[in-house]
Amino acid sequence: MTLRLHDTATRETRDFVPLVPGRAGIYVCGLTVQSEPHVGHVRSAVNFDVLRRWLTATGHEVDFIRNVTDIDDKILKKSAEQGVHWYALAASMKRALDSALASINVLPPTYEPGATGHVPEIVELIEQLVARGHAYAADDGSGDVYFDVRSWPAYGELTRQKVEDMEPAGDADPRGKRDPRDFALWKGWKKEFEPGTASWPSPWGPGRPGWHIECSAMAGKYLGPAFDIHGGGVDLRFPHHENEQAQSRAAGRPFASYWLHNAWITTAGEKMSKSLGNSLLVPSVLERVRGVELRYYMVAAHYRSHVEFSFEALEEAAKAYRRIEDFLDRAAPVVGSWFASMPDAFVAAMDDDLGTPAAVAVIHDAVREGNRLLAEGPSEALGQKFGEVIAMLDVLGLNPADEAWRTTGGDDRLTAVVDALVQGLLADRTAAREAKDWARADAIRDQIKAAGVEVEDTPTGPKWTLGSGSV
């Protein structure tokens, strides 16, 4: 089969045909690093991580670029409120983001550009737009530069809107605009209340990039003027992605062939966001479930489906994942030779616009059949079923044997030290049990438990859990 993707631009599900055979260029809008990431933030990262893994599994070389917005109005405002340098806040929140994504096994991108490192490319793109008559410098001396939406007849084509029906752009003061819908490409430095470090030289005076132009410039630098897939949350369709497409094509760049957008995770029917005060920070959620279980919860829903978050649903998902894990734990000691292969039904589900709900159902079907075979004893069929489950979990980033789950997304060195200490105690306990020194074995287990570590004996050996997260 051929991978079919739902293209937001055409509103059609169509065959994925990369610009370069066997190679896929993907650009995903990352976060503005203004605060710690919540579950709603990381869903997008998980969804596009699954896309990347599936393309890789089906033989594509993938160039995966996910940017970071490390300078904007919100960062400046929050840093001022907290009394810290804006760049220190951005760097701190970027570390929190990295930790959160590592805790749910999101692969690092091929490259992760930041806006502040690409000001020359941004200025160059703005100059091209000015030269082509699609951008202008405000005549009020502010140093602002705007995209002229009326100069681009196709403006609004991504979201199928007419300019007359659009709200005024909210990313800059309207004082220097020709049309209230014109959006900022460059923001002149406001020296009265912005730090000097938040400005860069440009032909229009010191200032900083507007939000939308950053992604166009960075996508162009690393993927070229035309690339395969542009992704992000559905809330970015307008104005961000509409503006990206307009300014890029106005500059003569074909830009993205496919647009993919993941839906929200909601709470009480509203988008999960910091402004609503209902955000659920990733470290807090991981006090209730393991990282692999949180990832399973997000993968089990289709990327275009809105998910109403609840801890009850999350805990049900965790139980479902543990049933898969239990089969692997019990089967591993008895299977003979096996190799990873994916059932046709799984491949068909993934090729149908990344149909992860159907793909997960195929995994559970395989687990049920595997449990039946396991009850009958070792067999070639059991080995085949075991290999299928492993292969499918690998594609979804859910293989419990993946080294990513050996860490919790925090300090890897600290995790390694803790793991080594606990494993040492577990080895002593195993030796005591083998020597039938039950008193010593129980004493060691009590010592481990007193430190907040739970031990579960499985057919493949003891596993330890810290809090609600397995290591």
Side-chain angles (χ1 to χ4, degrees):
M1 290 185 64
T2 300
L3 172 61
R4 292 174 60 76
L5 297 172
H6 184 82
D7 180 17
T8 306
T10 62
R11 300 185 183 180
E12 296 176 351
T13 301
R14 56 194 181 93
D15 291 353
F16 174 62
V17 181
L19 296 173
V20 178
R23 194 167 195 91
I26 303 174
Y27 186 91
V28 174
C29 285
L31 294 181
T32 298
V33 283
Q34 55 166 314
S35 58
E36 292 181 273
H38 56 59
V39 173
H41 287 138
V42 299
R43 183 191 184 185
S44 181
V46 169
N47 291 155
F48 288 102
D49 186 60
V50 169
L51 169 63
R52 176 189 185 178
R53 288 172 184 266
W54 183 238
L55 286 170
T56 301
T58 52
H60 294 80
E61 294 284 338
V62 181
D63 294 314
F64 189 91
I65 308 299
R66 185 182 66 228
N67 81 294
V68 170
T69 297
D70 54 358
I71 179 67
D72 86 331
D73 294 342
K74 294 177 182 177
I75 293 174
L76 291 175
K77 182 175 183 291
K78 289 205 168 189
S79 63
E81 291 172 351
Q82 296 176 24
V84 299
H85 295 300
W86 64 268
Y87 49 83
L89 174 64
S92 174
M93 294 302 99
K94 175 61 169 59
R95 289 192 292 272
L97 173 62
D98 290 344
S99 177
L101 295 182
S103 72
I104 52 175
N105 197 16
V106 172
L107 296 172
T110 306
Y111 190 63
E112 191 171 27
T116 56
H118 295 80
V119 173
E121 290 83 2
I122 292 168
V123 168
E124 180 183 5
L125 179 53
I126 297 174
E127 288 180 312
Q128 291 173 4
L129 289 168
V130 170
R132 285 171 170 254
H134 296 298
Y136 59 93
D139 58 10
D140 60 359
S142 63
D144 294 343
V145 181
Y146 297 105
F147 182 85
D148 185 348
V149 298
R150 297 283 184 179
S151 75
W152 185 244
Y155 186 69
E157 64 180 345
L158 180 65
T159 50
R160 301 189 180 187
Q161 298 184 83
K162 295 180 180 179
V163 173
E164 294 77 12
D165 298 330
M166 295 178 184
E167 297 270 336
D171 61 349
D173 194 310
R175 52 183 161 46
K177 296 183 179 182
R178 297 173 182 171
D179 185 290
R181 273 67 58 113
D182 293 349
F183 57 89
L185 302 174
W186 187 260
K187 297 187 174 186
W189 179 43
K190 303 170 183 63
K191 61 182 179 180
E192 297 82 6
F193 52 88
E194 290 184 351
T197 52
S199 69
W200 289 261
S202 82
W204 314 284
R208 55 187 169 88
W211 177 31
H212 315 298
I213 197 70
E214 299 170 356
C215 289
S216 288
M218 290 185 284
K221 181 174 180 66
Y222 297 103
L223 296 176
F227 57 95
D228 297 304
I229 298 171
H230 195 314
V234 68
D235 51 318
L236 298 181
R237 288 178 63 242
F238 186 86
H240 187 49
H241 289 166
E242 185 73 70
N243 292 351
E244 276 189 69
Q245 177 167 283
Q247 66 200 9
S248 298
R249 293 185 175 176
R253 304 178 181 187
F255 212 54
S257 298
Y258 300 78
W259 288 89
L260 270 62
H261 291 94
N262 66 277
W264 294 336
I265 291 182
T266 58
T267 52
E270 297 184 83
K271 174 191 171 187
M272 187 178 291
S273 67
K274 291 174 287 295
S275 60
L276 288 175
N278 60 4
S279 56
L280 293 167
L281 300 182
V282 174
S284 298
V285 174
L286 294 183
E287 292 177 2
R288 301 278 293 267
V289 297
R290 296 177 292 158
V292 68
E293 293 164 349
L294 176 57
R295 183 180 175 103
Y296 175 89
Y297 171 72
M298 289 187 278
V299 166
H302 194 273
Y303 76 92
R304 289 193 289 114
S305 298
H306 288 290
V307 174
E308 177 68 16
F309 182 87
S310 73
F311 277 110
E312 291 78 14
L314 178 59
E315 287 162 1
E316 283 301 312
K319 291 176 183 177
Y321 179 77
R322 289 175 202 143
R323 289 195 289 272
I324 301 172
E325 208 171 23
D326 177 67
F327 163 68
L328 295 176
D329 284 341
R330 292 185 301 107
V334 299
V335 295
S337 60
W338 61 274
F339 64 93
S341 64
M342 291 180 287
D344 291 344
F346 180 86
V347 174
M350 293 300 293
D351 276 344
D352 184 13
D353 194 31
L354 303 178
T356 54
V360 169
V362 175
I363 295 175
H364 283 286
D365 287 343
V367 167
R368 280 190 288 272
E369 177 63 12
N371 281 324
R372 186 189 68 77
L373 293 168
L374 184 58
E376 297 176 356
S379 67
E380 183 178 334
L382 175 60
Q384 178 181 347
K385 202 57 59 178
F386 182 86
E388 287 179 355
V389 173
I390 291 293
M392 293 186 284
L393 292 175
D394 269 334
V395 164
L396 301 179
L398 293 169
N399 186 349
D402 194 319
E403 279 299 312
W405 306 121
R406 301 293 295 174
T407 67
T408 60
D411 188 319
D412 291 353
R413 294 172 300 173
L414 177 58
T415 301
V417 170
V418 172
D419 184 52
L421 292 172
V422 174
Q423 294 295 351
L425 288 170
L426 291 176
D428 289 345
R429 177 173 171 267
T430 299
R433 287 162 63 93
E434 289 173 352
K436 300 189 183 322
D437 187 350
W438 309 117
R440 175 165 171 72
D442 289 346
I444 294 173
R445 185 183 183 105
D446 291 344
Q447 180 184 356
I448 295 173
K449 188 173 183 178
V453 175
E454 296 291 335
V455 176
E456 178 186 2
D457 293 310
T458 75
T460 55
K463 288 187 174 181
W464 66 270
T465 304
L466 181 62
S468 296
S470 242
V471 181

